[in-house]
């Protein structure tokens, strides 16, 4: 953008219909298209931004809850299975009903499978974010390469324009010399 602005201010100061103005006009239009393409590539609407923000907050909360539970259980050593084992050691009168124990085990299994599923979703989302970051970096590199190629083409176009100007100048000088030589030959043959 800074380069575009600088070129634009330079373009405003030069006289119209000059070679430099024509060259800068082409360069400015090409830079405008390039920047427009890059901005379109990176634009995210408010709905997408809000969706990503909500997802990030939810994911952080879920990860924090999982971590708190694991740390608390590790510190307390009061896992459901440990509590169940302790209850199993009590006399029969204090033991839980067998169907209730089966139900509790089923609930534990369900909670464990849900926890695993949640962790897989979180890991998948994190991996997807990493892949999106890599893709974004790739787009940035491609955009940079495109700009470099564009700048190189502009430089080569200027070299070709300069070469054309030099060739026109050389042709004019050569024509002048040929006319001089023809006049000298004509005078020499008229004297001779």
């Amino acid at each position: 953008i800074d380069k575009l602005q600088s070129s634009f201010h330079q373009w405003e100061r030069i006289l119209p219909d000059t070679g430099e103005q024509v060259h800068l006009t082409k360069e400015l239009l090409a830079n405008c298209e390039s920047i427009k393409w890059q901005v379109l590539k990176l634009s995210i609407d408010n709905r997408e931004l809000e969706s990503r923000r909500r997802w990030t907050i939810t994911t952080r909360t879920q990860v924090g809850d999982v971590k708190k539970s694991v740390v608390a259980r590790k510190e307390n050593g009061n896992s459901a299975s440990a509590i169940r084992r302790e209850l199993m050691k009590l006399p029969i009168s204090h033991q839980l009903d067998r169907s209730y124990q089966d139900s509790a085990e089923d609930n534990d299994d369900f909670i464990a499978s849900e926890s695993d599923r949640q962790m897989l979703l979180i890991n998948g989302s994190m991996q997807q974010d990493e892949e999106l970051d890599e893709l974004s970096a790739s787009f940035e590199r491609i955009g940079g390469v495109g700009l470099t190629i564009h700048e190189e083409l502009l430089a080569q176009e200027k070299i070709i324009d300069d070469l054309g100007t030099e060739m026109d100048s050389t042709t004019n000088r050569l024509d002048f010399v040929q006319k001089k030589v023809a006049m000298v030959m004509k005078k020499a043959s008229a004297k001779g």
Side-chain angles (χ1 to χ4, degrees):
I1 296 293
D2 292 340
K3 183 178 178 186
L4 178 71
Q5 290 293 337
S6 174
S7 296
F8 178 69
H9 293 308
Q10 183 181 357
W11 177 83
E12 288 179 313
R13 289 189 299 267
I14 57 178
L15 295 173
D17 300 325
T18 62
E20 185 179 5
Q21 196 233 14
V22 170
H23 174 72
L24 272 176
T25 300
K26 289 179 186 177
E27 183 179 328
L28 283 169
L29 292 174
N31 284 339
C32 286
E33 285 302 312
S34 176
I35 291 169
K36 181 178 164 187
W37 177 80
Q38 290 180 40
V39 168
L40 283 175
K41 176 185 72 169
L42 297 175
S43 65
I44 297 175
D45 63 9
N46 287 336
R47 192 174 64 204
E48 174 68 17
L49 190 60
E50 185 58 33
S51 170
R52 288 181 183 209
R53 185 176 293 124
R54 281 192 314 268
W55 179 87
T56 302
I57 291 168
T58 302
T59 301
R60 282 185 186 148
T61 302
Q62 289 174 342
V63 170
D65 291 346
V66 168
K67 184 175 180 180
K68 285 178 193 174
S69 295
V70 170
V71 168
R73 183 176 287 177
K74 184 178 176 184
E75 290 173 358
N76 296 335
N78 290 334
S79 69
S81 59
I83 292 171
R84 198 174 302 113
R85 280 194 302 272
E86 288 300 316
L87 288 173
M88 295 298 284
K89 293 178 185 175
L90 293 175
I92 293 195
S93 62
H94 292 88
Q95 284 186 357
L96 297 173
D97 179 56
R98 185 73 188 154
S99 64
Y100 180 77
Q101 287 178 350
D102 290 341
S103 176
E105 288 175 7
D106 289 344
N107 286 343
D108 288 346
D109 291 343
F110 175 76
I111 290 171
S113 71
E114 271 304 300
S115 177
D116 290 345
R117 191 175 73 77
Q118 294 275 336
M119 288 307 291
L120 284 173
L121 287 173
I122 290 169
N123 289 338
S125 296
M126 291 172 146
Q127 182 180 0
Q128 191 176 34
D129 278 354
E130 290 172 8
E131 290 171 358
L132 285 172
D133 289 344
E134 289 175 16
L135 187 59
S136 176
S138 294
F139 278 137
E140 286 180 24
R141 285 192 300 273
I142 290 170
V145 168
L147 284 175
T148 302
I149 290 170
H150 173 71
E151 290 170 0
E152 182 65 29
L153 288 173
L154 289 176
Q156 290 180 8
E157 181 182 15
K158 183 171 178 7
I159 291 170
I160 290 171
D161 288 345
D162 292 346
L163 183 61
T165 303
E166 286 181 34
M167 287 181 66
D168 290 343
S169 175
T170 303
T171 302
N172 288 340
R173 285 184 283 171
L174 185 59
D175 288 345
F176 177 75
V177 169
Q178 285 177 341
K179 287 178 184 176
K180 271 289 212 196
V181 168
M183 286 175 54
V184 169
M185 296 291 280
K186 190 175 186 182
K187 284 183 184 179
S189 66
K191 286 184 181 179

